[in-house]
Amino acid sequence: MRRYLRRSLWQIGIVVLGIATINFFLLHLAPGDAAEVMAGESGAATAEYMAALRQQFGIDQPLYLQFLRYVGHLLTLDLGYSFREGMPVAELMRQRLPATLLLMGSSTALAVSLGCVLGFMAARRAGKIADTVISTLALLFYATPVFWVGVMLVMVFSVALDWLPIGGMTSIEAGYRGWALAGDVARHLVLPAVTLGLFYLAIYTRLVRASMLEVYHLDFVRTARAKGVRPWRIATRHVLRNALLPVVTTLGVQLSSILGGAVLVETVFSWPGLGRLAFEALFHRDLALLLGILFCSSLVVVFVNLAVDLIYTLLDPRIELS
Amino acid sequence: MAFPDSLILSADGTGSHPRFALLRRLLRRPSALCGLVLMAAILAMAVLAHPLYPDDPLDMVAAPFLHPGTDAAFPLGSDMLGRDLAAGIFHGARISLLIGVVAALVSLVIGIGIGALSGYYGGRIDAGLMRLTELFQTIPPFLFSLAIVAILQPSIATITGAIGITAWPGLARLVRAEVLKLRHSELVEASISLGASDARIILLHILPNVLAPIVVSASILVASAILSESSLAFLGLGDPNVVSWGGMVGAGREVIRTDWYVATIPGIAILAAVLALNLLGDGLNDALNRKGQRR
C-alpha cells in the first residue's frame, strides 16, 4: 500500500511536470511574448500590468529559468492572475467549483444508475425487442452532439412548453431561501444534468450490456446454471456484479471527458460553473485562466484515477495494488 | 493461439477476393448497412457541394428566416442573415469530413507509432512512451484542444491538429496491447531468424496483423473528431472562413424562441454523420472479429 502511494505520488509529479511543460510550450507557441498572450488581445492591459507580468514571467531571463519559474508557480498552486476578472485564477475557480460539482455529480449519478438498469435489461433480453430498442436509443444518444441536445431540450421544455427555466442556476429576482432555494436550483438543474448525462447514459448502457454478455459466457455462470440457480439471481449476483468492474474503470476515464462536456452544457444553459468560466476565458482570450482550468482539471483526473484504483481493490479483492 | 484477424478474413472468404468477403459480411448486418448508406449520403453531399452550390455558403442569398419548404429554391430555408441552409449543410459535410478524416489520420499516425514502438521494444522505451500516453490521457481532451485552438487562432489546420494531437492515447494503448500479443509469436521469431530488420518486422509483419482493431478505431476516431470539431465551432472556435455544422447550431441557438429550424437542421446533420461512422465501426468490429460472429 505504502509502495503504491509512493509510486502514485511519483506519477503525480511527472504528470504535473508534463502538463506544466505543455502549458509553457503552448504559451510560447502563441504570437507575442507570454506576457502579451497572458494579458489578452483585448488591449486593455495597462503598461504597469504588462511590466508586472513580464517581471512575473521573467521574460528577460533565459528560457530554462523562465520554465523553472513557471513550474515553481504552479507547484505552489499560484495559477496566475486574471486581468479580465481582476482576481487570482485560483480564487475564480474556487468560486465556480460548487456549481460544476453539482452538475457533474447529478449527471454522473443519473448516467450510471439509469445506464446500469438499461444495460441490465438489454443484456437479459439480448436479441429481443427490448434490447433492440434500448441499444438503438443508446446508439442515438451516443452519436448526438451534447450541445445540440441542450439547445433542443431548451427549445422543447423551456420555450415551447415553458416547464423549466431556460438557463442559470437560480431565479435571482425571486430571492428564495432555504428549501425554496433548493427546489429552485433543482428546477434549474434538470435540463443541464439530463443534457450532460444522456451521452454518458448511452456509454454506460452499452458498456453494462456488453460486459454482462461477456460474463454470461464464462464457466462459473454455466456452473451456476447447472446448479439450478434461478436466472434472476444469476443475472444479479453472478453476472451484473462481475460486469460492474468495467463501469468503475470507465467512470474514471469518463471524468476527463465530462469536464469537456461541462464546457458545452454550461455554455448552453449559462450554468455558473467551471465550464462556463472556461468559455468566458476563451471568449476574452484570458489564457491565464484557461490554462489554469486545464491544469487543475488534469490534476483532478489524476486523483480520480487514484481513487478508482482504490475502489477496484474494494470491489475485487483479487486485484492488488502494485 | 489466436489467429490474427486479417488472416481469418482471407481464409474464410468464399473463394472471392477477401475485401469483398468483408463487404458482404458487413452488408449482412442491418445496422452496418444503415451506416454505409448514411455515410454514402454524406460523402455524396460533400462531393456535390461545389457543383450544386458553387457560391460561398456564407453569402447572403435569400430573405432572412425563410422557413423550410416555403421556397423551392431554398428547400431547407435560410437563417437570420439570409444564408442558404442547404448550401451550408452540403459544404459543412465537406469541412466536417475533411477535418474528421485528417484529424483521425494524425491520431492514427501518433497512436500507431507510439503503440507499435512501445509494444515491440518494451523496456525503457515502453516505460517512457507509456508515461507520455498517460500524461496525454490525463489532460481532458476537449479542454486541451480548446486551449490549443484558442492560443493558435482557429483555422482548419489548427483545429485539425488540435483534435488529432489529443485523441491518440486510447489507440496507442490498443496497438501496444495487440503488438505485445504478437511480439513473441512464431511469425515474428521466424522473421527475426531470417534477419529481417525491426522496421520491416513492425511494418510488414506485425501491423498488417493488427489492422482489424485499427480499422475499427479509425471509424470511431473520425466520428469523435467530427463531434469535437462541431463542438469547437459551436463555442465560436471554428475557422471563420468556412461553414461548419457546429457553428450553424451555435448561430441558430440565438433564435430558438422564434425559428426552431435554424439550430435543428445542422444538428441532425452532425448526428447523422457521427451515427453513420459509429454504425460502421460496430459493423466492422463484428465483421472483422470472430468473437462477434459467434453471437
Side-chain angles (χ1 to χ4, degrees):
Chain A
M1 183 70 188
R2 186 167 296 166
R3 249 189 71 208
Y4 170 76
L5 280 182
R6 196 160 356 126
R7 208 178 63 104
S8 310
L9 273 176
W10 175 235
Q11 260 179 354
I12 292 173
I14 292 178
V15 166
V16 170
L17 204 65
I19 298 164
T21 314
I22 290 174
N23 276 5
F24 188 74
F25 184 63
L26 276 176
L27 280 175
H28 280 265
L29 266 181
D33 69 25
E36 280 167 39
V37 175
M38 281 298 202
E41 293 177 340
S42 54
T46 60
E48 293 86 51
Y49 176 70
M50 291 293 287
L53 262 181
R54 288 219 164 84
Q55 220 267 318
Q56 188 199 338
F57 278 104
I59 297 292
D60 46 344
Q61 289 174 347
L63 210 58
Y64 73 94
L65 274 184
Q66 288 186 37
F67 177 67
L68 286 181
R69 207 185 176 110
Y70 183 71
V71 173
H73 280 298
L74 284 185
L75 283 181
T76 50
L77 280 182
D78 174 7
L79 298 172
Y81 189 83
S82 166
F83 182 71
R84 292 291 308 206
E85 311 283 339
M87 219 185 270
V89 167
E91 170 64 17
L92 265 171
M93 290 178 59
R94 202 189 53 74
Q95 286 178 358
R96 300 294 193 100
L97 191 65
T100 289
L101 287 182
L102 180 64
L103 174 63
M104 290 201 327
S106 45
S107 57
T108 307
L110 176 85
V112 172
S113 55
L114 209 55
C116 285
V117 171
L118 288 176
F120 178 79
M121 281 165 61
R124 286 263 293 159
R125 297 172 184 74
K128 307 251 174 65
I129 299 266
D131 175 33
T132 313
V133 172
I134 291 175
S135 298
T136 310
L137 278 180
L139 196 64
L140 264 181
F141 288 143
Y142 185 67
T144 316
V146 165
F147 57 89
W148 187 69
V149 173
V151 173
M152 291 299 111
L153 287 179
V154 168
M155 214 157 76
V156 174
F157 292 101
S158 307
V159 176
L161 297 172
D162 198 19
W163 287 353
L164 290 163
I166 201 160
M169 191 169 160
T170 49
S171 318
I172 298 162
E173 69 284 355
Y176 290 121
R177 275 162 191 284
W179 285 110
L181 179 67
D184 186 45
V185 171
R187 262 167 49 81
H188 282 82
L189 181 63
V190 175
L191 287 185
V194 169
T195 305
L196 189 56
L198 272 183
F199 177 74
Y200 297 98
L201 170 66
I203 290 184
Y204 291 120
T205 304
R206 283 165 63 118
L207 188 74
V208 170
R209 176 181 178 275
S211 64
M212 273 187 71
L213 287 182
E214 206 139 288
V215 176
Y216 262 120
H217 282 291
L218 296 181
D219 289 342
F220 71 88
V221 176
R222 194 185 315 137
T223 308
R225 271 209 198 102
K227 279 198 312 187
V229 180
R230 278 199 216 95
W232 173 259
R233 199 176 156 81
I234 292 180
T236 49
R237 294 300 293 268
H238 294 79
V239 179
L240 183 64
R241 241 192 111 156
N242 283 291
L244 282 182
L245 218 51
V247 172
V248 179
T249 318
T250 316
L251 203 61
V253 174
Q254 243 44 129
L255 193 101
S256 69
S257 81
I258 207 168
L259 282 159
V263 179
L264 293 162
V265 171
E266 290 181 9
T267 304
V268 171
F269 291 98
S270 315
W271 188 261
L274 277 179
R276 172 88 193 161
L277 189 66
F279 175 72
E280 287 162 11
L282 190 82
F283 194 72
H284 299 309
R285 295 278 188 266
D286 190 344
L287 292 183
L289 188 51
L290 193 59
L291 291 180
I293 294 173
L294 188 65
F295 179 75
C296 284
S297 24
S298 311
L299 270 191
V300 170
V301 174
V302 175
F303 285 113
V304 168
N305 285 339
L306 264 179
V308 166
D309 280 352
L310 292 175
I311 293 174
Y312 247 54
T313 57
L314 293 181
L315 284 182
D316 189 342
R318 285 171 307 182
I319 298 176
E320 276 180 29
L321 297 173
S322 58
Chain B
M1 190 202 120
F3 279 102
D5 293 327
S6 46
L7 290 184
I8 297 160
L9 191 71
S10 45
D12 79 8
T14 47
S16 63
H17 197 279
R19 228 177 307 165
F20 295 116
L22 172 64
L23 192 65
R24 206 169 316 126
R25 227 182 288 161
L26 209 53
L27 293 181
R28 226 180 288 150
R29 311 194 146 252
S31 60
L33 185 65
C34 257
L36 268 180
V37 170
L38 262 179
M39 204 57 239
I42 290 158
L43 270 174
M45 290 196 332
V47 172
L48 290 176
H50 269 304
L52 282 182
Y53 300 97
D55 298 328
D56 187 345
L58 295 174
D59 283 348
M60 301 168 208
V61 289
F65 296 124
L66 269 180
H67 277 241
T70 47
D71 187 336
F74 305 101
L76 295 181
S78 67
D79 69 1
M80 52 284 197
L81 292 175
R83 294 176 294 204
D84 185 355
L85 276 182
I89 295 290
F90 273 66
H91 282 269
R94 237 167 44 84
I95 301 302
S96 284
L97 284 182
L98 174 74
I99 294 183
V101 169
V102 179
L105 279 179
V106 173
S107 303
L108 280 173
V109 169
I110 306 178
I112 294 174
I114 289 188
L117 291 178
S118 212
Y120 188 80
Y121 288 109
R124 285 195 167 188
I125 295 182
D126 182 33
L129 288 177
M130 279 302 109
R131 276 295 105 75
L132 185 73
T133 310
E134 267 166 29
L135 173 65
F136 270 80
Q137 232 164 6
T138 313
I139 308 178
F142 184 67
L143 270 181
F144 194 12
S145 353
L146 205 79
I148 298 177
V149 176
I151 289 175
L152 296 181
Q153 305 303 327
S155 73
I156 291 188
T158 56
I159 294 168
T160 311
I163 295 173
I165 211 163
T166 53
W168 57 267
L171 181 70
R173 280 169 177 267
L174 180 85
V175 172
R176 175 178 175 270
E178 295 288 324
V179 171
L180 269 180
K181 268 191 237 163
L182 281 176
R183 178 67 181 89
H184 297 291
S185 65
E186 285 158 16
L187 167 85
V188 172
E189 307 229 309
S191 312
I192 293 175
S193 54
L194 283 173
S197 67
D198 287 351
R200 189 182 167 87
I201 294 175
I202 293 176
L203 291 176
L204 291 181
H205 299 303
I206 294 184
L207 284 185
N209 282 305
V210 298
L211 207 58
I214 292 179
V215 168
V216 175
S217 333
S219 67
I220 307 296
L221 274 176
V222 177
S224 58
I226 289 181
L227 264 185
S228 304
E229 183 274 331
S230 65
S231 307
L232 286 173
F234 176 78
L235 291 178
L237 282 180
D239 186 326
N241 301 313
V242 296
V243 66
S244 159
W245 289 339
M248 290 168 76
V249 176
R253 180 186 160 219
E254 313 293 327
V255 294
I256 47 171
R257 283 178 186 281
T258 47
D259 302 271
W260 59 272
Y261 64 94
V262 187
T264 309
I265 292 169
I268 295 173
I270 306 171
L271 170 60
V274 178
L275 186 65
L277 284 159
N278 277 314
L279 285 172
L280 218 53
D282 285 357
L284 281 170
N285 193 27
D286 292 343
L288 291 168
N289 198 341
R290 246 211 323 207
K291 243 166 93 190
Q293 276 207 320
R294 196 179 51 202
R295 278 180 206 139

